[in-house]
Amino acid sequence: MSKPFPDDPFLCGNYGPWPMEGEIHDLIVEGEIPRALDGTLCRNGPNPQFAPRGRYHWFDGDGMIHAFTIRDGKAHYRNRWVRTQRFQMEREAGEALFGGLADMKATDPRAEGIFPNAANTNIIVHAGKLLALWEAGPPHELDPQTLATIGPYDFGGKLLGPMTAHPKIDPETGELLFFGYSPLPPYLRYYVASADGKLVRSEEIDVPVPTMMHDFITTREHVIFMVFPATFRFENFASGAPIRWEPELGTKIGVMPRNSGNAAVRWFATDPCYVFHPMNAYTENGRVIADVCRFDRLPLFDGAEAEGLEKGPSALLTRWTLYLAVVTVKEERLDDSPAEFPRLDERYTGLRYRYGYAGGRIGAPTDGGIFNAIFHYDHQTGKRRVHDLGPTNFTSEPVFVPRSPQSPEGEGFLLTVVYRQEENRSDLLILDAENVEGKPLATVKLPHRVPYGFHGNWGQGL
Ligand SMILES: [Fe+2]
């Protein structure tokens, strides 16, 4: 018999794991699902199979995919764990074998020397492949119809290490731009896969110090690597907690022209901070304009994880203007309300854009969830619009789907999974992205809850 899960903020409430896999055909819907929607929203998040060994960290849990297929005005649901090596070893053992990020020393000798790829952070579709991503290892390829795990994917042997969970698809070329970071040299490698999925570029990038580099920024002209003082030094592995906050190092932002390479990277210095996620960026008139969700310090790894995210530091939407000729950064706050999990109409990734979306928090910190609102930003007018979910409903990352490939920017739908705390279950909301404060166009009702997860994407026609 499995051990019960311990009393931990990231294992309770809707952070707690959902233990079942299954399918629901033709879910109950309030309102009307737009006929224009034809595809699948896949979401990924941590969902530990077994009670942890030692201290648990939110980033540790086994990846579970939740997929909503929307077609002909109907919605269907399926969820599956990603069958990683770790998942299969632990299932066979009947218990957790791997220590987590905050307690790696708790690893059982049976799992010694095996990297615990959790495949729990993001899921993308590129060149016809559905890939579950985790930043410290290779992706896992999944069957798009069944979500069955096909296995680790290394671009035909060309991926030389881990792959970020936040690759960017260039909307003009279809290329997949990404990187991998490591605590051992080379600390950073930049990759490009062509629109048909072939890995065509792989280049070492010199960085001042190995850090936890969760995401990066791309524009039509530049690739930007963010080196925050969240170090990931190999010598700290022995302590069991390899990620450290070293604010005296400051923040370094490396800007590389896409038509050039490592030798052309210029480093911009700014105050210590941490950004998990940029919203978008573009290059214009000798400047890079980058909008990011900025924390004053690294959350979740500072010994205060047990307080939970809702009581820890908050990210605020911030604009960096990088003046390329003089190598200086200007920083402006765009909003005073906490916002994270930023997205955009991804047909504008790396291009001048007008609209952005995020999970947001209105009012005092809420008990249990993080984001009780969906924010819609208009960067042209500087106005923020809000879909207020009320005090006991909590959103995940909102994903934008255009009404049609030809629709103007921002015309389409926002899809987001919302946890109903009072009912202890979740709904998929479909909002009109141009009228976010309005009633959802459709509320797709699940009988169970979807644990708070990280990222997801829409697969058109999937
Ligand atoms: Fe992320």
Side-chain angles (χ1 to χ4, degrees), residues 166 214 277 455:
H166 286 288
H214 182 68
H277 305 118
H455 303 289

Side-chain angles (χ1 to χ4, degrees), residues 44-128:
N44 199 348
N47 195 78
Q49 181 182 199
F50 292 109
R53 305 173 73 86
R55 282 173 62 206
Y56 181 73
H57 192 283
W58 192 28
F59 293 3
D60 290 337
D62 301 281
M64 179 180 270
I65 310 301
H66 301 266
F68 297 84
T69 297
I70 300 176
R71 184 154 297 138
D72 302 325
K74 293 184 175 184
H76 317 282
Y77 168 86
R78 168 178 283 142
N79 71 322
R80 293 281 184 279
W81 263 300
V82 183
R83 262 58 181 179
T84 59
Q85 180 185 19
R86 161 187 164 174
F87 179 96
Q88 287 166 314
M89 284 174 69
E90 292 188 339
R91 170 128 324 168
E92 214 162 285
E95 61 174 330
L97 296 174
F98 294 86
L101 261 177
D103 205 353
M104 292 171 78
K105 284 194 292 195
T107 296
D108 185 277
R110 287 170 284 174
E112 213 69 66
I114 296 167
F115 221 62
N117 193 324
N120 68 7
T121 312
N122 200 355
I123 179 160
I124 60 160
V125 182
H126 185 255

Side-chain angles (χ1 to χ4, degrees), residues 4-35:
F5 282 84
D7 184 19
D8 179 292
F10 284 117
L11 292 169
C12 295
N14 199 39
Y15 289 99
W18 176 249
M20 294 176 71
E21 297 177 297
E23 296 167 30
I24 306 172
H25 180 77
D26 198 1
L27 288 147
I28 294 167
V29 178
E30 269 173 20
E32 199 168 333
I33 294 177
R35 296 276 164 165

Side-chain angles (χ1 to χ4, degrees), residues 281-303:
Y282 54 97
T283 305
E284 196 175 77
N285 301 328
R287 301 170 303 171
V288 172
I289 288 103
D291 299 331
V292 301
C293 291
R294 181 191 183 280
F295 290 87
D296 280 338
R297 63 181 170 90
L298 176 71
L300 290 166
F301 289 90
D302 55 1

Side-chain angles (χ1 to χ4, degrees), residues 327-364:
V327 197
T328 55
V329 188
K330 183 174 86 178
E331 192 171 275
E332 305 161 79
R333 185 179 291 177
L334 298 184
D335 188 6
D336 291 329
S337 295
E340 242 290 354
F341 294 120
R343 297 295 293 251
L344 75 153
D345 178 338
E346 269 109 12
R347 296 173 300 166
Y348 292 81
T349 299
L351 306 175
R352 187 181 174 89
Y353 76 120
R354 179 168 178 180
Y355 301 112
Y357 317 99
R361 191 160 74 209
I362 304 175

